């Protein structure tokens, strides 16, 4: 991983039957949940579980999210959801996710981008109830595996 490239983290999940809508494909709100799952697993892998963040008086908050839907997902599809973090010199930072179908419900290989999500995040000081400056630095100081956060602001 070079200093210019964000750290990329990937989780794999299967589409469950209860995530379907009346049209027989994944409900739009579930795509947000898939992105949330990838975000939380990315942070956990870096050593930033809710408990670990709390030990440092911090939590990560979602400020806004946008999902662009590209393809339908159906019950049984296998997905890979990636997560990348990008920091600037501002308090908010960005996490981007791609939701990719890697196998259909019958197990046939696929490589379809089903959705792309972009989330604006912040690191909240739980005592002051304010976003912290230098979120990358604060997260890196608390992380067991700070390399998974990617580079700080350039």
């Amino acid at each position: 991983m070079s200093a210019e490239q964000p750290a990329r983290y990937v989780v794999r999940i299967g589409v469950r039957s209860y995530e379907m809508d009346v049209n027989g494909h994944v409900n739009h709100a579930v795509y947000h949940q898939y992105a949330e799952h990838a975000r939380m697993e990315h942070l956990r892998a870096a050593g930033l579980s809710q408990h670990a963040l709390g030990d440092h008086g911090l939590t990560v908050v979602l400020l806004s999210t946008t999902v662009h839907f590209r393809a339908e997902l159906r019950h049984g599809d296998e997905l890979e959801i990636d997560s990348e973090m990008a920091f600037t010199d501002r308090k908010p930072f960005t996490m981007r996710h791609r939701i990719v179908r890697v196998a259909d419900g019958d197990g046939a290989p696929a490589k379809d981008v089903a959705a792309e999500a972009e989330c604006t995040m912040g690191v909240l000081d739980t005592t002051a109830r304010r976003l912290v400056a230098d979120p990358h630095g604060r997260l890196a100081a608390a992380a067991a595996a700070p390399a998974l956060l990617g580079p700080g602001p350039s």
Side-chain angles (χ1 to χ4, degrees):
M1 169 178 47
S2 73
E4 296 81 35
Q5 294 296 320
R8 183 170 175 265
Y9 186 80
V10 178
V11 296
R12 190 172 179 132
I13 64 170
V15 174
R16 297 163 291 255
S17 61
Y18 58 83
E19 295 170 334
M20 301 299 101
D21 65 14
V22 297
N23 297 314
H25 52 76
V26 171
N27 180 277
H28 64 93
V30 176
Y31 289 81
H32 291 275
Q33 294 171 346
Y34 291 160
E36 176 73 12
H37 177 67
R39 275 194 303 283
M40 297 308 291
E41 288 300 303
H42 189 159
L43 292 169
R44 186 191 58 74
L48 296 169
S49 66
Q50 284 300 113
H51 179 75
L53 285 164
D55 286 348
H56 288 86
L58 303 172
T59 192
V60 175
V61 294
L62 177 66
L63 302 173
S64 69
T65 184
T66 303
V67 176
H68 296 278
F69 303 101
R70 306 288 184 215
E72 296 177 329
L73 294 173
R74 300 192 182 278
H75 176 249
D77 288 348
E78 290 290 321
L79 311 175
E80 285 186 353
I81 305 143
D82 66 19
S83 176
E84 293 181 348
M85 303 172 82
F87 296 87
T88 67
D89 58 357
R90 298 183 62 228
K91 291 180 182 180
F93 64 97
T94 304
M95 291 189 82
R96 292 182 181 89
H97 310 283
R98 285 181 333 124
I99 300 169
V100 179
R101 177 188 6 250
V102 294
D104 69 18
D106 294 323
K111 199 67 169 175
D112 307 321
V113 176
E116 296 166 307
E118 183 168 314
C119 306
T120 302
M121 312 292 295
V123 176
L124 186 78
D125 178 310
T126 57
T127 301
R129 306 303 294 172
R130 298 279 183 244
L131 295 180
V132 302
D134 188 21
H136 182 270
R138 295 290 295 271
L139 291 174
L148 285 176
L149 303 175
S154 35

